[in-house]
Coordinates of all heavy atoms in Angstrom, one line a residue:
M195 N -24.6 49.4 -35.3 CA -23.3 48.9 -34.9 C -23.4 48.2 -33.5 O -22.4 47.7 -33.1 CB -22.3 50.0 -34.8 CG -21.8 50.5 -36.1 SD -20.4 49.6 -36.3 CE -19.6 50.3 -37.7
T196 N -24.5 48.1 -33.0 CA -24.6 47.4 -31.7 C -24.3 45.9 -31.8 O -23.9 45.3 -30.9 CB -26.0 47.6 -31.1 OG1 -26.9 47.1 -32.0 CG2 -26.2 49.0 -30.8
A197 N -24.5 45.3 -33.0 CA -24.2 43.9 -33.2 C -22.7 43.6 -33.0 O -22.3 42.4 -32.7 CB -24.7 43.4 -34.5
C198 N -21.8 44.5 -33.2 CA -20.4 44.3 -33.1 C -19.8 44.5 -31.8 O -18.7 44.3 -31.5 CB -19.7 45.2 -34.1 SG -20.1 44.8 -35.8
T199 N -20.6 45.0 -30.8 CA -20.1 45.2 -29.5 C -20.0 43.9 -28.7 O -20.7 42.9 -29.0 CB -21.0 46.2 -28.7 OG1 -22.2 45.7 -28.6 CG2 -21.0 47.6 -29.4
T200 N -19.2 43.9 -27.6 CA -19.1 42.8 -26.8 C -19.9 42.9 -25.6 O -20.0 43.9 -24.9 CB -17.6 42.7 -26.3 OG1 -16.7 42.6 -27.4 CG2 -17.3 41.4 -25.4
D201 N -20.6 41.8 -25.2 CA -21.4 41.8 -24.0 C -20.5 41.5 -22.9 O -20.1 40.3 -22.6 CB -22.5 40.7 -24.1 CG -23.5 40.7 -23.0 OD1 -23.2 41.4 -22.0 OD2 -24.5 40.0 -23.0
K202 N -20.1 42.5 -22.1 CA -19.1 42.4 -21.1 C -19.5 41.4 -20.0 O -18.7 40.7 -19.4 CB -18.7 43.7 -20.5 CG -17.9 44.6 -21.5 CD -17.4 45.8 -20.9 CE -16.6 46.6 -22.0 NZ -16.1 47.8 -21.5
A203 N -20.8 41.5 -19.6 CA -21.3 40.6 -18.6 C -21.2 39.1 -19.0 O -20.8 38.3 -18.2 CB -22.7 41.0 -18.2
A204 N -21.6 38.9 -20.3 CA -21.6 37.5 -20.8 C -20.1 37.0 -20.9 O -19.8 35.8 -20.5 CB -22.3 37.4 -22.1
L205 N -19.2 37.9 -21.3 CA -17.8 37.5 -21.4 C -17.2 37.3 -20.1 O -16.5 36.3 -19.9 CB -17.1 38.7 -22.2 CG -15.6 38.4 -22.5 CD1 -15.5 37.1 -23.4 CD2 -15.0 39.6 -23.2
G206 N -17.6 38.1 -19.1 CA -17.1 37.9 -17.8 C -17.5 36.6 -17.2 O -16.8 35.9 -16.5
K207 N -18.8 36.2 -17.4 CA -19.4 35.0 -16.9 C -18.6 33.8 -17.6 O -18.4 32.8 -16.9 CB -20.8 34.9 -17.2 CG -21.5 33.7 -16.6 CD -23.0 33.6 -16.8 CE -23.7 32.4 -16.3 NZ -23.0 31.1 -16.4
A208 N -18.4 33.9 -18.9 CA -17.7 32.8 -19.6 C -16.3 32.6 -19.0 O -15.9 31.5 -18.8 CB -17.6 33.2 -21.1
Y209 N -15.6 33.7 -18.7 CA -14.2 33.6 -18.1 C -14.3 32.9 -16.8 O -13.5 32.1 -16.4 CB -13.5 34.9 -18.0 CG -12.9 35.4 -19.4 CD1 -13.1 36.6 -19.8 CD2 -12.1 34.5 -20.2 CE1 -12.6 37.1 -21.1 CE2 -11.6 34.9 -21.3 CZ -11.8 36.2 -21.8 OH -11.3 36.6 -23.0
A210 N -15.3 33.3 -16.0 CA -15.5 32.7 -14.6 C -15.8 31.3 -14.7 O -15.3 30.5 -13.9 CB -16.6 33.5 -13.9
D211 N -16.7 30.9 -15.6 CA -17.0 29.5 -15.8 C -15.9 28.7 -16.2 O -15.6 27.6 -15.8 CB -18.2 29.3 -16.8 CG -19.5 29.8 -16.3 OD1 -19.6 30.1 -15.1 OD2 -20.5 30.0 -17.1
K212 N -15.0 29.2 -17.1 CA -13.8 28.5 -17.6 C -12.8 28.3 -16.3 O -12.3 27.3 -16.2 CB -13.1 29.4 -18.7 CG -12.0 28.7 -19.3 CD -11.4 29.4 -20.4 CE -10.1 28.8 -21.0 NZ -9.6 29.5 -22.1
A213 N -12.7 29.4 -15.5 CA -11.8 29.3 -14.4 C -12.3 28.2 -13.4 O -11.5 27.4 -12.8 CB -11.7 30.6 -13.7
K214 N -13.6 28.2 -13.2 CA -14.2 27.1 -12.3 C -14.0 25.7 -12.8 O -13.7 24.8 -12.1 CB -15.7 27.4 -12.1 CG -16.0 28.6 -11.2 CD -17.5 28.8 -11.2 CE -17.9 30.1 -10.5 NZ -19.3 30.3 -10.5
A215 N -14.1 25.6 -14.1 CA -13.8 24.2 -14.8 C -12.4 23.8 -14.5 O -12.1 22.6 -14.3 CB -14.2 24.3 -16.3
G216 N -11.4 24.8 -14.6 CA -10.1 24.5 -14.4 C -9.8 24.0 -13.0 O -9.0 23.1 -12.7
V217 N -10.5 24.7 -12.0 CA -10.3 24.3 -10.6 C -10.9 22.9 -10.3 O -10.3 22.1 -9.6 CB -11.1 25.4 -9.7 CG1 -11.1 24.9 -8.3 CG2 -10.3 26.7 -9.8
V218 N -12.0 22.6 -10.9 CA -12.6 21.3 -10.8 C -11.6 20.2 -11.3 O -11.4 19.2 -10.7 CB -14.0 21.2 -11.5 CG1 -14.5 19.8 -11.5 CG2 -14.9 22.1 -10.7
T219 N -11.1 20.4 -12.5 CA -10.1 19.5 -13.1 C -8.9 19.3 -12.2 O -8.5 18.2 -12.0 CB -9.7 20.0 -14.5 OG1 -10.8 20.2 -15.3 CG2 -8.7 19.1 -15.2
D220 N -8.4 20.4 -11.7 CA -7.2 20.2 -10.8 C -7.6 19.5 -9.5 O -6.8 18.7 -9.0 CB -6.7 21.7 -10.4 CG -6.0 22.4 -11.6 OD1 -5.7 21.7 -12.5 OD2 -5.9 23.6 -11.5
A221 N -8.8 19.8 -9.0 CA -9.2 19.1 -7.8 C -9.4 17.6 -8.0 O -9.0 16.7 -7.2 CB -10.5 19.7 -7.2
L222 N -9.9 17.2 -9.2 CA -10.1 15.8 -9.5 C -8.8 15.1 -9.6 O -8.6 14.0 -9.2 CB -11.0 15.6 -10.8 CG -12.4 16.0 -10.7 CD1 -13.1 16.0 -12.0 CD2 -13.1 14.9 -9.7
T223 N -7.8 15.8 -10.3 CA -6.5 15.2 -10.4 C -5.8 15.0 -9.0 O -5.2 14.0 -8.8 CB -5.6 16.2 -11.3 OG1 -6.2 16.4 -12.6 CG2 -4.2 15.6 -11.4
Q224 N -6.0 16.0 -8.2 CA -5.4 15.8 -6.8 C -6.1 14.7 -6.0 O -5.4 14.0 -5.3 CB -5.5 17.2 -6.1 CG -4.5 18.2 -6.6 CD -4.6 19.5 -5.9 OE1 -5.5 19.7 -5.0 NE2 -3.8 20.5 -6.2
A225 N -7.4 14.6 -6.2 CA -8.1 13.6 -5.5 C -7.7 12.2 -6.0 O -7.5 11.3 -5.3 CB -9.6 13.8 -5.7
D226 N -7.5 12.1 -7.4 CA -7.1 10.8 -7.9 C -5.7 10.4 -7.4 O -5.4 9.3 -7.1 CB -7.0 10.9 -9.4 CG -8.4 10.8 -10.1 OD1 -9.3 10.5 -9.4 OD2 -8.5 11.2 -11.3
R227 N -4.8 11.4 -7.3 CA -3.5 11.1 -6.7 C -3.6 10.7 -5.2 O -2.9 9.8 -4.8 CB -2.6 12.4 -6.7 CG -2.0 12.7 -8.1 CD -1.0 13.7 -8.1 NE -0.8 14.3 -9.4 CZ -0.9 15.6 -9.7 NH1 -1.0 16.5 -8.8 NH2 -0.7 15.9 -11.0
A228 N -4.4 11.4 -4.4 CA -4.6 11.0 -3.0 C -5.1 9.6 -2.9 O -4.7 8.8 -2.0 CB -5.5 12.0 -2.3
V229 N -6.1 9.2 -3.7 CA -6.7 7.9 -3.7 C -5.6 6.8 -4.0 O -5.5 5.8 -3.4 CB -7.9 7.8 -4.6 CG1 -8.3 6.3 -4.8 CG2 -9.0 8.5 -4.1
A230 N -4.8 7.1 -5.1 CA -3.8 6.2 -5.5 C -2.7 6.0 -4.4 O -2.3 4.9 -4.1 CB -3.1 6.6 -6.8
E231 N -2.4 7.1 -3.7 CA -1.4 7.0 -2.6 C -1.9 6.2 -1.4 O -1.2 5.4 -0.8 CB -1.0 8.4 -2.2 CG 0.0 8.4 -1.1 CD 1.4 7.8 -1.4 OE1 1.8 7.7 -2.6 OE2 2.0 7.3 -0.5
A232 N -3.2 6.5 -1.1 CA -3.8 5.8 0.0 C -3.9 4.3 -0.2 O -3.9 3.5 0.7 CB -5.2 6.4 0.3
R233 N -4.1 3.9 -1.5 CA -4.3 2.4 -1.8 C -3.0 1.7 -2.0 O -2.9 0.5 -2.0 CB -5.1 2.3 -3.1 CG -6.5 2.8 -3.0 CD -7.3 2.5 -4.1 NE -7.4 1.1 -4.1 CZ -8.6 0.4 -4.3 NH1 -9.6 1.1 -4.7 NH2 -8.7 -0.9 -4.2
R234 N -1.9 2.5 -2.1 CA -0.5 1.9 -2.3 C -0.1 1.1 -1.0 O -0.1 1.7 0.1 CB 0.5 3.0 -2.6 CG 1.8 2.4 -3.1 CD 2.8 3.5 -3.4 NE 3.2 4.3 -2.3 CZ 4.1 3.9 -1.4 NH1 4.7 2.8 -1.5 NH2 4.4 4.7 -0.4
M235 N 0.2 -0.1 -1.2 CA 0.7 -0.9 0.0 C 2.1 -0.5 0.3 O 2.9 -0.3 -0.6 CB 0.6 -2.4 -0.3 CG -0.8 -3.0 -0.3 SD -1.4 -3.1 1.4 CE -0.5 -4.4 2.1
P236 N 2.5 -0.5 1.6 CA 3.9 -0.2 2.0 C 4.7 -1.4 1.6 O 4.2 -2.5 1.3 CB 3.8 0.0 3.5 CG 2.6 -0.7 3.9 CD 1.6 -0.6 2.8
D237 N 6.0 -1.3 1.6 CA 6.9 -2.4 1.3 C 6.7 -3.5 2.3 O 6.6 -3.2 3.4 CB 8.4 -1.9 1.3 CG 8.7 -0.9 0.1 OD1 7.9 -1.0 -0.9 OD2 9.6 -0.2 0.2
Y238 N 6.8 -4.7 1.8 CA 6.7 -5.9 2.6 C 8.0 -5.9 3.5 O 9.1 -5.7 3.1 CB 6.6 -7.1 1.8 CG 6.1 -8.3 2.4 CD1 4.8 -8.3 2.9 CD2 6.9 -9.5 2.5 CE1 4.3 -9.5 3.6 CE2 6.3 -10.6 3.2 CZ 5.0 -10.6 3.6 OH 4.5 -11.7 4.2
P239 N 7.8 -6.1 4.8 CA 9.0 -6.2 5.7 C 10.0 -7.2 5.3 O 9.6 -8.4 5.0 CB 8.4 -6.5 7.1 CG 7.0 -6.1 7.0 CD 6.6 -6.4 5.5
S240 N 11.3 -6.9 5.4 CA 12.3 -7.8 5.0 C 12.3 -9.0 5.9 O 12.6 -10.2 5.5 CB 13.7 -7.2 4.9 OG 14.0 -6.6 6.2
E241 N 12.0 -8.8 7.2 CA 11.9 -9.9 8.2 C 10.9 -11.0 7.7 O 11.1 -12.2 8.0 CB 11.5 -9.4 9.5 CG 11.4 -10.4 10.6 CD 12.7 -11.0 11.0 OE1 13.8 -10.4 10.7 OE2 12.7 -12.1 11.5
C242 N 9.9 -10.6 7.0 CA 8.9 -11.5 6.5 C 9.4 -12.4 5.3 O 8.8 -13.4 4.9 CB 7.6 -10.8 6.1 SG 6.8 -10.1 7.5
R243 N 10.5 -12.0 4.8 CA 11.1 -12.8 3.6 C 12.2 -13.8 4.1 O 12.8 -14.5 3.3 CB 11.7 -11.8 2.6 CG 10.6 -11.0 2.0 CD 11.1 -10.1 0.9 NE 10.1 -9.1 0.4 CZ 9.1 -9.4 -0.4 NH1 9.0 -10.6 -0.8 NH2 8.3 -8.5 -0.8
R244 N 12.5 -13.7 5.4 CA 13.6 -14.6 5.9 C 13.2 -16.0 5.8 O 12.1 -16.4 6.1 CB 13.9 -14.1 7.3 CG 15.2 -14.7 7.9 CD 15.5 -14.0 9.2 NE 14.4 -14.0 10.2 CZ 14.5 -14.7 11.3 NH1 15.5 -15.5 11.6 NH2 13.5 -14.7 12.1
H245 N 14.2 -16.9 5.6 CA 14.0 -18.3 5.6 C 14.6 -18.9 6.8 O 15.6 -18.4 7.4 CB 14.6 -19.0 4.4 CG 14.0 -18.5 3.1 ND1 14.3 -19.0 1.9 CD2 12.9 -17.7 2.8 CE1 13.6 -18.5 0.9 NE2 12.7 -17.7 1.5
H246 N 14.0 -20.0 7.3 CA 14.6 -20.6 8.5 C 15.1 -22.0 8.1 O 14.5 -22.7 7.3 CB 13.4 -20.8 9.5 CG 12.9 -19.5 10.0 ND1 13.4 -18.9 11.1 CD2 11.9 -18.7 9.5 CE1 12.8 -17.7 11.2 NE2 11.9 -17.6 10.3
H247 N 16.2 -22.4 8.7 CA 16.8 -23.7 8.5 C 17.1 -24.4 9.8 O 17.3 -23.7 10.8 CB 18.1 -23.5 7.7 CG 18.0 -22.8 6.4 ND1 17.6 -23.4 5.3 CD2 18.2 -21.5 6.2 CE1 17.5 -22.4 4.3 NE2 17.9 -21.3 4.8
S248 N 17.0 -25.7 9.8 CA 17.1 -26.4 11.0 C 18.5 -26.4 11.6 O 18.7 -26.5 12.8 CB 16.6 -27.9 10.8 OG 17.5 -28.6 10.0
G249 N 19.5 -26.4 10.7 CA 20.9 -26.5 11.2 C 21.3 -27.9 11.6 O 22.4 -28.2 12.2
I250 N 20.5 -28.9 11.2 CA 20.8 -30.3 11.5 C 22.0 -30.7 10.7 O 22.1 -30.4 9.4 CB 19.6 -31.2 11.2 CG1 18.5 -30.9 12.1 CG2 20.0 -32.7 11.4 CD1 17.2 -31.6 11.7
K251 N 23.0 -31.4 11.3 CA 24.2 -31.9 10.6 C 24.2 -33.3 10.7 O 23.7 -34.0 11.6 CB 25.4 -31.3 11.3 CG 25.5 -29.7 11.2 CD 26.8 -29.2 11.7 CE 27.1 -27.8 11.5 NZ 26.2 -26.9 12.1
L252 N 24.8 -33.9 9.7 CA 25.1 -35.3 9.6 C 25.8 -35.8 10.8 O 26.8 -35.2 11.2 CB 25.9 -35.7 8.3 CG 26.0 -37.2 8.1 CD1 24.6 -37.8 7.8 CD2 26.9 -37.4 6.8
G253 N 25.3 -36.7 11.5 CA 25.9 -37.2 12.7 C 25.2 -36.7 14.0 O 25.6 -37.1 15.1
D254 N 24.3 -35.7 13.9 CA 23.6 -35.2 15.0 C 22.7 -36.4 15.6 O 22.2 -37.1 14.9 CB 22.6 -34.1 14.7 CG 23.4 -32.7 14.6 OD1 24.5 -32.6 15.0 OD2 22.7 -31.8 14.1
K255 N 22.7 -36.4 16.9 CA 21.9 -37.5 17.5 C 20.4 -37.1 17.2 O 20.1 -36.0 17.0 CB 22.1 -37.5 19.0 CG 23.5 -38.0 19.4 CD 23.6 -38.2 20.9 CE 25.0 -38.8 21.2 NZ 25.2 -39.0 22.6
L256 N 19.6 -38.1 17.2 CA 18.2 -38.0 16.9 C 17.5 -36.9 17.8 O 16.7 -36.1 17.3 CB 17.4 -39.3 16.9 CG 16.0 -39.3 16.5 CD1 15.9 -38.9 15.1 CD2 15.4 -40.7 16.7
G257 N 17.7 -37.0 19.1 CA 17.1 -36.0 19.9 C 17.6 -34.6 19.6 O 16.7 -33.7 19.7
V258 N 18.8 -34.4 19.3 CA 19.3 -33.1 19.0 C 18.8 -32.6 17.7 O 18.3 -31.4 17.5 CB 20.9 -33.1 18.9 CG1 21.5 -31.8 18.4 CG2 21.5 -33.4 20.3
A259 N 18.7 -33.5 16.7 CA 18.2 -33.1 15.4 C 16.7 -32.8 15.5 O 16.2 -31.8 14.9 CB 18.3 -34.3 14.4
N260 N 15.9 -33.5 16.3 CA 14.5 -33.3 16.5 C 14.4 -31.9 17.1 O 13.5 -31.1 16.8 CB 13.9 -34.4 17.3 CG 12.4 -34.2 17.4 OD1 11.8 -33.9 16.4 ND2 11.8 -34.5 18.6
K261 N 15.2 -31.6 18.1 CA 15.1 -30.3 18.8 C 15.4 -29.1 17.9 O 14.7 -28.1 17.9 CB 16.0 -30.3 20.0 CG 15.9 -29.1 20.9 CD 14.6 -29.1 21.6 CE 14.5 -28.0 22.6 NZ 13.2 -27.9 23.3
K262 N 16.5 -29.3 17.1 CA 16.8 -28.2 16.1 C 15.7 -28.0 15.1 O 15.3 -26.9 14.8 CB 18.1 -28.6 15.4 CG 19.3 -28.4 16.2 CD 20.6 -28.8 15.3 CE 21.9 -28.7 16.1 NZ 23.0 -29.1 15.2
A263 N 15.1 -29.1 14.6 CA 14.0 -29.0 13.7 C 12.8 -28.3 14.3 O 12.1 -27.5 13.7 CB 13.6 -30.4 13.1
D264 N 12.5 -28.7 15.5 CA 11.3 -28.1 16.2 C 11.6 -26.6 16.5 O 10.6 -25.8 16.3 CB 11.1 -28.8 17.6 CG 9.8 -28.5 18.2 OD1 8.8 -28.5 17.5 OD2 9.8 -28.3 19.4
I265 N 12.7 -26.2 16.8 CA 13.0 -24.8 17.0 C 12.9 -24.0 15.7 O 12.3 -22.9 15.7 CB 14.4 -24.6 17.6 CG1 14.5 -25.1 19.1 CG2 14.9 -23.1 17.6 CD1 15.9 -25.2 19.7
A266 N 13.4 -24.5 14.6 CA 13.3 -23.9 13.3 C 11.9 -23.7 12.9 O 11.4 -22.7 12.4 CB 14.1 -24.6 12.3
L267 N 11.1 -24.8 13.1 CA 9.7 -24.8 12.7 C 8.9 -23.8 13.6 O 8.1 -23.1 13.1 CB 9.1 -26.2 12.9 CG 7.6 -26.4 12.4 CD1 7.5 -26.0 10.9 CD2 7.2 -27.8 12.6
G268 N 9.2 -23.7 14.9 CA 8.5 -22.7 15.7 C 8.9 -21.3 15.3 O 8.0 -20.4 15.3
N269 N 10.1 -21.1 15.0 CA 10.5 -19.7 14.5 C 9.8 -19.4 13.2 O 9.4 -18.2 13.0 CB 12.0 -19.6 14.3 CG 12.8 -19.7 15.6 OD1 12.3 -19.4 16.6 ND2 14.1 -20.0 15.5
A270 N 9.7 -20.3 12.3 CA 9.0 -20.1 11.0 C 7.6 -19.8 11.2 O 6.9 -18.9 10.6 CB 9.2 -21.3 10.1
S271 N 6.9 -20.5 12.1 CA 5.5 -20.3 12.4 C 5.3 -19.0 13.1 O 4.3 -18.3 12.8 CB 5.0 -21.4 13.3 OG 5.0 -22.6 12.7
A272 N 6.1 -18.6 14.0 CA 6.0 -17.2 14.6 C 6.2 -16.1 13.6 O 5.4 -15.1 13.6 CB 7.0 -17.1 15.7
Q273 N 7.1 -16.3 12.7 CA 7.3 -15.3 11.6 C 6.0 -15.2 10.7 O 5.6 -14.2 10.4 CB 8.5 -15.7 10.8 CG 8.7 -14.7 9.6 CD 9.9 -15.2 8.7 OE1 10.9 -15.6 9.3 NE2 9.7 -15.0 7.4
T274 N 5.5 -16.4 10.4 CA 4.3 -16.4 9.5 C 3.1 -15.7 10.2 O 2.4 -14.9 9.6 CB 3.9 -17.8 9.2 OG1 4.9 -18.5 8.5 CG2 2.6 -17.9 8.4
D275 N 3.0 -15.9 11.5 CA 1.9 -15.3 12.3 C 2.1 -13.8 12.3 O 1.1 -13.0 12.1 CB 1.8 -15.8 13.7 CG 1.3 -17.3 13.8 OD1 0.8 -17.7 12.7 OD2 1.6 -17.9 14.8
A276 N 3.3 -13.3 12.6 CA 3.6 -11.9 12.6 C 3.4 -11.2 11.3 O 2.8 -10.1 11.3 CB 5.1 -11.7 13.1
C277 N 3.8 -11.8 10.2 CA 3.7 -11.2 8.9 C 2.2 -11.2 8.5 O 1.7 -10.3 7.8 CB 4.6 -12.0 7.9 SG 6.3 -11.7 8.2
A278 N 1.5 -12.2 8.8 CA 0.0 -12.3 8.5 C -0.7 -11.2 9.3 O -1.6 -10.5 8.7 CB -0.5 -13.6 8.8
G279 N -0.3 -11.0 10.5 CA -0.9 -9.9 11.3 C -0.6 -8.5 10.7 O -1.5 -7.6 10.6
W280 N 0.6 -8.3 10.3 CA 1.0 -7.1 9.6 C 0.2 -6.8 8.4 O -0.4 -5.8 8.1 CB 2.5 -7.1 9.2 CG 3.0 -5.9 8.5 CD1 3.6 -4.9 9.0 CD2 3.0 -5.8 7.1 NE1 3.9 -3.9 8.0 CE2 3.6 -4.5 6.8 CE3 2.6 -6.5 6.0 CZ2 3.7 -4.0 5.5 CZ3 2.8 -6.1 4.7 CH2 3.3 -4.8 4.5
Y281 N 0.0 -7.9 7.5 CA -0.7 -7.7 6.3 C -2.2 -7.5 6.6 O -2.8 -6.6 6.0 CB -0.6 -9.0 5.5 CG -1.4 -9.0 4.2 CD1 -1.0 -8.3 3.1 CD2 -2.7 -9.5 4.2 CE1 -1.7 -8.2 2.0 CE2 -3.5 -9.5 3.0 CZ -3.0 -8.8 1.9 OH -3.8 -8.7 0.8
D282 N -2.8 -8.2 7.5 CA -4.2 -8.1 7.9 C -4.5 -6.7 8.3 O -5.5 -6.1 8.0 CB -4.6 -9.1 8.9 CG -4.6 -10.5 8.4 OD1 -4.6 -10.7 7.2 OD2 -4.6 -11.4 9.2
E283 N -3.6 -6.1 9.1 CA -3.8 -4.7 9.6 C -3.9 -3.7 8.4 O -4.7 -2.8 8.4 CB -2.7 -4.3 10.6 CG -2.8 -4.9 11.9 CD -1.6 -4.5 12.8 OE1 -0.9 -3.5 12.5 OE2 -1.4 -5.2 13.8
R284 N -3.0 -3.8 7.6 CA -2.9 -2.9 6.4 C -4.0 -3.1 5.5 O -4.6 -2.2 4.9 CB -1.5 -3.0 5.7 CG -0.5 -2.2 6.4 CD 0.7 -2.9 6.7 NE 1.5 -2.1 7.7 CZ 1.5 -2.3 9.0 NH1 0.8 -3.3 9.5 NH2 2.3 -1.6 9.7
K285 N -4.4 -4.4 5.2 CA -5.6 -4.6 4.4 C -6.9 -4.1 5.0 O -7.6 -3.4 4.2 CB -5.7 -6.1 4.1 CG -6.9 -6.4 3.2 CD -7.0 -8.0 3.0 CE -8.2 -8.2 2.1 NZ -8.5 -9.6 2.0
A286 N -7.0 -4.2 6.3 CA -8.2 -3.7 6.9 C -8.3 -2.2 6.8 O -9.4 -1.6 6.7 CB -8.3 -4.2 8.4
A287 N -7.2 -1.5 6.9 CA -7.1 -0.1 6.8 C -7.5 0.4 5.4 O -7.9 1.6 5.2 CB -5.8 0.4 7.1
R288 N -7.4 -0.5 4.4 CA -7.6 0.0 3.0 C -8.9 -0.5 2.4 O -9.4 0.0 1.4 CB -6.5 -0.6 2.1 CG -5.2 0.2 2.3 CD -4.0 -0.5 1.6 NE -2.9 0.4 1.7 CZ -2.2 0.7 2.8 NH1 -2.6 0.3 3.9 NH2 -1.2 1.5 2.7
E289 N -9.5 -1.5 3.0 CA -10.8 -2.0 2.6 C -11.9 -1.0 2.7 O -11.9 -0.3 3.8 CB -11.1 -3.3 3.3 CG -10.2 -4.5 2.9 CD -10.4 -4.9 1.4 OE1 -11.5 -5.0 0.9 OE2 -9.3 -5.0 0.8
P290 N -12.9 -1.0 1.8 CA -14.0 0.0 2.0 C -14.8 -0.4 3.3 O -14.9 -1.6 3.6 CB -14.9 -0.3 0.8 CG -14.0 -1.0 -0.2 CD -12.9 -1.7 0.6
K291 N -15.2 0.6 4.0 CA -15.9 0.3 5.3 C -17.4 0.1 5.0 O -18.0 0.6 4.1 CB -15.8 1.5 6.2 CG -14.3 1.8 6.5 CD -13.7 0.7 7.3 CE -12.3 1.0 7.7 NZ -11.2 0.2 7.2

């Protein structure tokens, strides 16, 4: 009747191996979540979506119209530079080293 008995050591090892496999699976799942979160880009700043307009009106003198257009273009360029800098910082933080 020895063939019908349970090898307690082998059974214990099997349960331990099964538990270790479950821990590895959980760890991999958590690692995948952490990687996905780290790669997720933050929301684009609303300031970077703003549009600029010159405000030139019919009848504005040429010098005034030119000045208004120059100010609007300068504001748009400053915004582009700031938003590009914001993006470059975040991209550099996510790129493989």
Side-chain angles (χ1 to χ4, degrees):
M195 285 265 192
T196 58
C198 293
T199 62
T200 303
D201 183 352
K202 289 185 180 182
L205 186 59
K207 184 178 178 327
Y209 282 131
D211 289 347
K212 184 176 180 182
K214 287 178 188 174
V217 169
V218 169
T219 301
D220 291 343
L222 286 173
T223 300
Q224 289 177 355
D226 287 343
R227 281 190 201 129
V229 167
E231 181 62 27
R233 295 190 70 137
R234 189 179 68 77
M235 284 289 286
D237 291 336
Y238 200 61
S240 59
E241 180 66 20
C242 292
R243 298 185 187 281
R244 191 167 56 112
H245 293 182
H246 297 269
H247 303 281
S248 67
I250 297 172
K251 294 186 172 64
L252 187 62
D254 280 349
K255 291 185 178 185
L256 184 59
V258 171
N260 188 39
K261 186 69 172 172
K262 286 181 179 181
D264 193 44
I265 289 169
L267 184 58
N269 290 338
S271 294
Q273 177 183 322
T274 299
D275 291 344
C277 294
W280 177 90
Y281 177 83
D282 291 342
E283 286 176 18
R284 273 126 194 101
K285 182 180 179 190
R288 284 167 173 70
E289 290 296 313
K291 305 292 183 238

